[in-house]
Amino acid sequence: MVETIISYKPEYKLNAAGRRLLFKVDANSEFVRDADGELVEDPNGRAYRNWRPEIESPQDIWDELARVGSKLPGMTSAPMLQPISTRIVMLSSGISAPIAVRLRGPNLEALGDAALKVQEFLREHPMVNSQAVNADRPVGKPYIEIHPDRAKLARYGVTMASFQDTVDMAIGGRTITQSVEGRERFSVRVRYPREMRDIPESMERVFVTATDGVQIPIGDLARIEYVRGPEMIRSEDTYLVSYVMFDGQGDAGEVDVVQSVRASMEAAIASGELELAEGVSFSFAGSYESSVETEKRLMFLIPIVLLSIFMLTYMQFRSVMTGMMIFSGIFVAFSGGFILLWLYGQPWFLDFSVFGMNMRDVFQIVPVKLSIAVWVGFIALFGIANDDGVVIATYLQQRFQDAGPMSVEAIRERVVEAGERRIRPCLMTSATTILALLPVLTSYGAGADVMIPMALPAVGGMTVAMITLFVVPVLYSAMEEVKLRLR
């Protein structure tokens, strides 16, 4: 396996502070260069784009590298991971890919055959990136094996210890001393020149000393041959294990990809399309496992959060109906968060420029997967989505607390008055939340891929949650009118 770390240039030329540099352009909108061929800075100029026109995002860079790399003989692509992410995935699952099929079997040959079959099957799956499918080869590494013939050793009077010492030192090499140069240490190894140990035919001419001092070539004492052996032997729970690593296609989530692949593999095995050797079983591994565990926790945590918010609202107003009115703002905000996530996947959203800067580039608008970070953002949204409703409902409760007998016209008049007097605090509450998250939406670099999906639900939810400025007063008015009719 070859691990390649790709450090790409930023999309535009930046200064030390990370701001875009502007360069002088001529009448034909071409960049002006000095005598040394360097760009000329100009505060009234235009930003210089490092990337080619067809490259619009880091994902496009990866796709281009994968396309070119797939043409190299013997090379295959792999899922794209950041160096730290790779280490985390390796520590948690033992593989350098977000998703993999884990194969367990009785022997390495059966695992190798099953891995190749699963690899071909995954490359044809519509939700799998065919360029990122890579199967382990449990067997296939070339080894040189030297098999001594004990009968011949005894005939020539060569002891097994003498034979093994010669092979160890002459072919393998042995450290005899260490050279010390300052703080550096260099081991000194002794062995035959490379031309006498690089191929079996050369090794056969290495001499072994017999007990009577006669030099016997190894070719007369042993059999030297190439064999195919294991590259790496993995085991889990006493089973031999092999992996077929892959990645999802496009914006498909890891959980959705795994569920689709599992269903397809089970159906293919049942129909006989995919045949695995006896004793070989499969499961899935990778960061997908942590995603599944986190989803289980969120399925328990989200209802607890919603129930806690409702109970706190009820304890404030001592009314189930008022609590339900305010709680409706959470559902409105929930829909607003999904609307903004949908807009981030549309090519026309914010596709305009301000002062020469495209808003899609400023806000880094790309399709966002429904990841764990997004659900954490929704949990944060739930905690602040009912603020506007609480502000309005508190004032309404105060206005109606000592109102006495009223008519429908008086109820509506007081509701309109409360709505007008509390619209400014509600707008300030929503505006401060949205403005505080704008720097997160425009951030880039390490951590931005997690923080932006986390902030999107809050921004979209609080933007749409301002509808509660009208919903809560209308519902409160309806509740008071029903109470008036029931008196």
Side-chain angles (χ1 to χ4, degrees):
M1 180 182 71
V2 178
E3 182 177 294
T4 304
I5 298 178
I6 302 169
S7 300
Y8 53 84
K9 295 181 179 179
E11 184 174 2
Y12 292 91
K13 279 187 174 294
L14 307 175
N15 58 15
R19 298 183 179 275
R20 293 183 183 179
L21 293 172
L22 301 180
F23 299 96
K24 187 177 181 180
V25 294
D26 57 18
N28 298 323
S29 297
E30 298 291 337
F31 286 98
V32 178
R33 298 181 181 270
D34 57 17
D36 298 328
E38 300 294 333
L39 297 170
V40 179
E41 292 191 26
D42 183 1
N44 299 320
R46 198 177 69 204
Y48 182 81
R49 196 168 187 269
N50 290 316
W51 297 354
R52 298 197 301 266
E54 65 272 15
I55 303 298
E56 298 181 356
S57 66
Q59 182 62 42
D60 294 337
I61 297 177
W62 169 254
D63 293 339
E64 185 69 11
L65 288 169
R67 183 186 66 81
V68 176
S70 62
K71 298 179 180 179
L72 299 177
M75 297 292 289
T76 181
S77 180
M80 179 179 62
L81 289 173
Q82 295 291 340
I84 296 177
S85 302
T86 304
R87 301 298 179 265
I88 294 174
V89 172
M90 284 286 290
L91 290 173
S92 61
S93 61
I95 59 175
S96 57
I99 321 174
V101 178
R102 181 195 292 116
L103 297 171
R104 294 181 177 180
N107 54 69
L108 295 176
E109 288 74 14
L111 283 177
D113 181 64
L116 293 177
K117 291 181 178 179
V118 172
Q119 174 182 265
E120 294 301 321
F121 178 82
L122 291 179
R123 286 179 175 173
E124 298 178 359
H125 196 281
M127 294 187 68
V128 174
N129 183 2
S130 59
Q131 295 179 340
V133 180
N134 185 20
D136 285 343
R137 269 65 169 179
V139 179
K141 184 177 181 179
Y143 286 85
I144 294 179
E145 291 188 354
I146 301 176
H147 301 274
D149 189 328
R150 292 183 179 272
K152 292 182 180 180
L153 290 176
R155 184 186 310 152
Y156 289 103
V158 179
T159 63
M160 182 62 72
S162 177
F163 177 84
Q164 291 178 341
D165 286 342
T166 302
V167 172
D168 179 28
M169 180 175 292
I171 299 176
R174 179 178 297 176
T175 301
I176 59 173
T177 185
Q178 192 176 60
S179 174
V180 180
E181 299 181 12
R183 298 181 59 189
E184 299 178 343
R185 304 292 187 270
F186 300 95
S187 297
V188 179
R189 295 174 61 85
V190 175
R191 57 179 172 178
Y192 279 11
R194 182 176 298 276
E195 60 271 11
M196 297 186 64
R197 53 181 173 82
D198 55 354
I199 58 176
E201 290 76 10
S202 299
M203 296 179 189
E204 292 178 354
R205 295 191 293 270
V206 174
F207 291 96
V208 180
T209 304
T211 54
D212 56 359
V214 179
Q215 300 291 320
I216 310 298
I218 289 181
D220 294 342
L221 302 174
R223 185 179 76 258
I224 304 176
E225 59 183 1
Y226 274 116
V227 296
R228 294 173 64 249
E231 295 185 0
M232 179 185 297
I233 299 177
R234 306 188 190 199
S235 63
E236 294 181 9
D237 300 330
T238 71
Y239 289 96
L240 293 173
V241 176
S242 180
Y243 292 96
V244 181
M245 295 170 284
F246 65 98
D247 197 5
Q249 183 73 271
D251 302 326
E254 293 179 358
V255 177
D256 296 333
V257 172
V258 170
Q259 291 176 349
S260 177
V261 170
R262 177 186 284 114
S264 299
M265 289 184 64
E266 291 176 350
I269 293 174
S271 62
E273 180 184 353
L274 178 61
E275 296 183 1
L276 301 180
E278 184 178 355
V280 176
S281 61
F282 75 91
S283 60
F284 290 86
S287 57
Y288 150 79
E289 294 176 309
S290 61
S291 300
V292 172
E293 292 296 326
T294 306
E295 284 191 359
K296 291 180 180 179
R297 295 177 185 174
L298 288 175
M299 291 176 65
F300 171 77
L301 182 60
I302 290 177
I304 295 298
V305 171
L306 294 175
L307 181 61
S308 301
I309 294 173
F310 179 78
M311 292 302 298
L312 290 173
T313 308
Y314 171 77
M315 293 172 62
Q316 169 67 27
F317 295 96
R318 301 293 180 180
S319 170
V320 175
M321 292 298 298
T322 305
M324 292 295 294
M325 293 177 194
I326 299 173
F327 201 73
S328 64
I330 293 180
F331 297 103
V332 175
F334 189 68
S335 63
F338 275 103
I339 290 174
L340 186 58
L341 291 174
W342 176 78
L343 289 174
Y344 259 61
Q346 305 306 310
W348 50 263
F349 182 59
L350 293 184
D351 190 14
F352 60 89
S353 299
V354 177
F355 301 113
M357 300 180 65
N358 190 277
M359 292 295 100
R360 290 184 65 86
D361 298 332
V362 173
F363 289 94
Q364 302 180 62
I365 297 179
V366 294
V368 178
K369 296 181 181 180
L370 201 61
S371 61
I372 301 302
V374 172
W375 285 111
V376 172
F378 274 113
I379 293 177
L381 171 64
F382 296 155
I384 59 178
N386 63 340
D387 290 348
D388 293 344
V390 171
V391 171
I392 296 178
T394 300
Y395 190 77
L396 285 169
Q397 188 181 47
Q398 294 172 354
R399 294 290 292 150
F400 281 89
Q401 193 169 9
D402 301 322
M406 298 182 66
S407 63
V408 173
E409 291 75 13
I411 291 174
R412 295 180 178 178
E413 182 180 351
R414 293 203 174 200
V415 168
V416 172
E417 176 192 357
E420 291 177 347
R421 292 198 174 188
R422 285 297 174 263
I423 188 170
R424 181 178 296 176
C426 290
L427 289 176
M428 291 177 63
T429 302
S430 300
T432 52
T433 302
I434 295 173
L435 292 175
L437 292 174
L438 284 181
V440 178
L441 294 182
T442 57
S443 63
Y444 61 92
D449 54 338
V450 176
M451 294 304 300
I452 291 177
M454 196 179 299
L456 284 176
V459 174
M462 291 305 296
T463 302
V464 178
M466 287 189 287
I467 296 177
T468 55
L469 295 174
F470 308 98
V471 175
V472 172
V474 170
L475 294 177
Y476 203 96
S477 175
M479 182 182 68
E480 292 294 331
E481 290 179 20
V482 170
K483 290 181 179 178
L484 181 64
R485 293 190 182 95
L486 295 178
R487 289 177 184 173

